[in-house]
Amino acid sequence: MLNYIADSPPFVQALVAGLITWLLTALGAATVFLFKTVNQKILSSMQGFAAGIMIAASFWSLLQPAIESSSDSTYPWLPAAIGFLLGGVFIRSLDYVIPHMHRNAQDSSQKVEGVETGLSKNTLLFLAITLHNIPEGLAIGVAFGGVATGNEHATLLGALGLAIGIGIQNIPEGAALSLPMHAAGQSKWKSFNYGQGSALVEPVFATLGAAAVLIVTPILPYALAFAAGAMIFVVVEELIPDSQSGENTDLATLSLMLGFTIMMILDVALG
């Protein structure tokens, strides 16, 4: 199986990896067929766990390879610094344009980010998670694209490790969207579709990320750091505040550390 993946074009590899992470999101969203309500302790721990995965992936799988890829330049940290900041600016720009509401918003009277709209709260929550998934797709894409460029710091196993880590955190992420929606009165099927649909952007942006690196090979360190910056922005703006908004802050923090450790092990072992 690994040989088949290795022989495929990089944009196909990225697409397949993105589809797998989407399927794992759907698996998490499918828990809505088993449970009617969501336990707040579990929800906080899932959000903390996802944050830990993304923080570790941002460094071990993206920023470190970005810096190592520029080790022969006068300022090896410069592409990583520029790309990282641009990634954050990119997500902030999308925040400014696309209407959405984060999960820690208690009611629709709270401020909705993005342009003014009459969309329902469920749709706004769906768009918030969809925004969250864009940098994950990009991260997968640039990782597989980097392997195809022949960069010695980018490996197929490392790209697979990143995809596996993102896929693991997508399982609780799908549940964290579908279960609260069902508890609020939505049907199981509608809640499931919201949950799984939020990750459809991942295979799309994974393919785009791989294609961008292949077309313009020198942007690899910038692209890796860009994906890292976008992911960190999402973690700090959304995941950590959501996980810390209830009464389970210690559990959420420990879950973050567990997620970080798992992703670190995956990256070091496979990278």
Side-chain angles (χ1 to χ4, degrees), residues 2-77:
L2 186 59
N3 289 334
Y4 175 79
I5 295 174
D7 293 336
S8 300
F11 66 89
V12 173
Q13 296 172 345
L15 175 61
V16 171
L19 287 172
I20 291 173
T21 59
W22 163 66
L23 286 172
L24 290 172
T25 305
L27 177 63
T31 56
V32 75
F33 297 110
L34 301 175
F35 306 101
K36 183 175 181 180
T37 60
V38 58
N39 183 289
Q40 288 303 312
K41 285 186 177 181
I42 295 176
L43 181 60
S44 295
S45 65
M46 288 191 300
Q47 291 167 333
F49 181 82
I53 289 278
M54 292 179 70
I55 292 171
S58 295
F59 176 73
W60 296 102
S61 300
L62 299 169
L63 276 177
Q64 186 180 44
I67 294 171
E68 291 174 347
S69 296
S70 305
S71 58
D72 293 334
S73 65
T74 305
Y75 304 105
W77 47 264

Side-chain angles (χ1 to χ4, degrees), residues 103-118:
R103 283 172 292 195
N104 61 358
Q106 298 300 313
D107 55 64
S108 57
S109 65
Q110 290 186 271
K111 182 181 178 182
V112 175
E113 295 187 41
V115 298
E116 187 175 346
T117 180

Side-chain angles (χ1 to χ4, degrees), residues 183-197:
Q186 294 295 327
S187 69
K188 290 183 177 181
W189 272 108
K190 190 170 185 178
S191 300
F192 168 75
N193 284 326
Y194 269 115
Q196 63 85 19

Side-chain angles (χ1 to χ4, degrees), residues 77-96:
W77 47 264
L78 186 59
I82 293 174
F84 185 79
L85 293 174
L86 287 178
V89 170
F90 171 70
I91 296 299
R92 178 63 188 97
S93 299
L94 293 182
D95 268 354
Y96 188 75

Side-chain angles (χ1 to χ4, degrees), residues 129-156:
I129 304 302
T130 300
L131 280 172
H132 171 155
N133 287 325
I134 288 175
E136 294 178 8
L138 285 172
I140 292 171
V142 297
F144 279 98
V147 176
T149 64
N151 189 290
E152 62 178 324
H153 303 291
T155 66
L156 179 60

Side-chain angles (χ1 to χ4, degrees), residues 235-251:
V235 168
V236 176
E237 187 207 23
E238 179 185 346
L239 288 178
I240 291 179
D242 283 357
S243 70
Q244 299 288 323
S245 62
E247 299 177 353
N248 307 296
T249 57
D250 289 344
L251 178 61

